[in-house]
């Protein structure tokens, strides 16, 4: 055996690990959340063509598909396609339902979709679904809103130019006073209903 080779010891390995993991003077952070710019309202939002009826100006869009037996709800990203979905054809949901396309199925599907959206961090989406008042789809949309999902996305923040007379509030600089005012407005709207 040569004299320069030393067997690995736990103390030597631990010392090397500490040297590698010790922070240097400059720390670099990488944001690995692909939806971060959308949450800050500064991500690109496609506009589509102006003559299109529903339009394409959205980051996330709710789509509801009703077939003969099943109901499927999906949240689609403008670039990546379907992100989150729930269907009454899923075994876990179908097992709890009497019928897979009646009003309770729509309500429970909305609850499941809202829970999955909130778990993945999507709280706002665009919905072009037209519902008849008091119908199944209307109850689906109301249940989504009751469970914490907003069916309207905020406008994209555009940096003001130096000569603009008005300046929008920056979404990343929300103050507590504004949050309290918004909560009071929501309470007033809910009491009027």
């Amino acid at each position: 055996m040569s004299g320069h080779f030393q067997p690995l010891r736990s103390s030597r390995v631990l010392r090397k690990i500490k040297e590698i993991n010790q922070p240097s003077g400059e720390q670099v952070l990488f944001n690995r959340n692909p939806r971060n710019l959308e949450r800050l309202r500064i991500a690109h939002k496609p506009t589509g063509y102006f003559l299109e009826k529903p339009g394409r100006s959205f980051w996330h869009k709710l789509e509801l598909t009703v077939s003969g037996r099943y109901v499927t709800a999906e949240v689609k990203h403008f670039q990546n396609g379907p992100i989150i979905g729930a269907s009454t054809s899923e075994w876990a949901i179908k097992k709890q339902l009497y019928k897979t396309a009646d009003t309770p199925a729509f309500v429970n599907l909305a609850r499941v979709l809202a829970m999955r959206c909130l778990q993945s961090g999507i709280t706002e989406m665009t919905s072009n679904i037209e519902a008849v008042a008091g119908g199944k789809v209307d109850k689906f949309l109301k249940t989504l809103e009751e469970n914490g999902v907003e069916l309207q996305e905020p406008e994209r923040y555009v940096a003001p130019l130096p000569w603009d007379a008005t300046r929008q509030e920056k979404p990343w600089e929300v103050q507590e006073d504004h949050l309290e005012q918004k909560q009071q407005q929501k309470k007033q709207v809910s009491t009027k209903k």
Side-chain angles (χ1 to χ4, degrees), residues 57-76:
S57 182
F58 63 87
W59 288 303
H60 301 101
K61 183 178 182 180
L62 175 67
E63 290 192 358
L64 185 67
T65 308
V66 181
S67 66
R69 289 181 86 171
Y70 301 112
V71 182
T72 304
E74 289 182 331
V75 177
K76 291 193 175 183

Side-chain angles (χ1 to χ4, degrees), residues 71 97 99-110 134-140 143:
V71 182
L97 299 173
K99 290 185 179 178
T100 56
D102 59 347
T103 305
F106 275 81
V107 171
N108 288 315
L109 184 68
K136 298 176 191 178
V137 178
D138 185 44
K139 290 183 180 180
F140 173 83
T143 306

Side-chain angles (χ1 to χ4, degrees), residues 157-184:
Y157 175 77
V158 180
L161 299 172
W163 52 83
D164 287 344
T166 59
R167 296 178 183 265
Q168 293 180 353
E169 181 181 352
K170 295 177 184 174
W172 54 88
E173 291 181 358
V174 178
Q175 298 174 356
E176 292 180 15
D177 300 337
H178 297 291
L179 291 175
E180 291 173 1
Q181 290 173 357
K182 286 183 181 181
Q183 289 175 352
Q184 289 175 356

Side-chain angles (χ1 to χ4, degrees), residues 27-75:
Q27 287 188 352
V28 178
L29 298 173
F30 293 101
N31 183 4
R32 294 174 24 196
N33 182 0
R35 309 274 184 250
N36 187 42
L37 295 178
E38 294 167 7
R39 300 286 295 157
L40 290 174
R41 296 180 21 203
I42 56 177
H44 169 70
K45 196 181 233 189
T47 55
Y49 298 103
F50 293 104
L51 297 177
E52 289 180 320
K53 173 98 173 67
R56 292 189 207 175
S57 182
F58 63 87
W59 288 303
H60 301 101
K61 183 178 182 180
L62 175 67
E63 290 192 358
L64 185 67
T65 308
V66 181
S67 66
R69 289 181 86 171
Y70 301 112
V71 182
T72 304
E74 289 182 331
V75 177

Side-chain angles (χ1 to χ4, degrees), residues 82-101:
I83 315 173
I84 303 168
S87 176
T88 55
S89 65
E90 293 177 22
W91 182 82
I93 298 174
K94 183 171 33 171
K95 187 87 173 164
Q96 303 296 322
L97 299 173
Y98 181 71
K99 290 185 179 178
T100 56

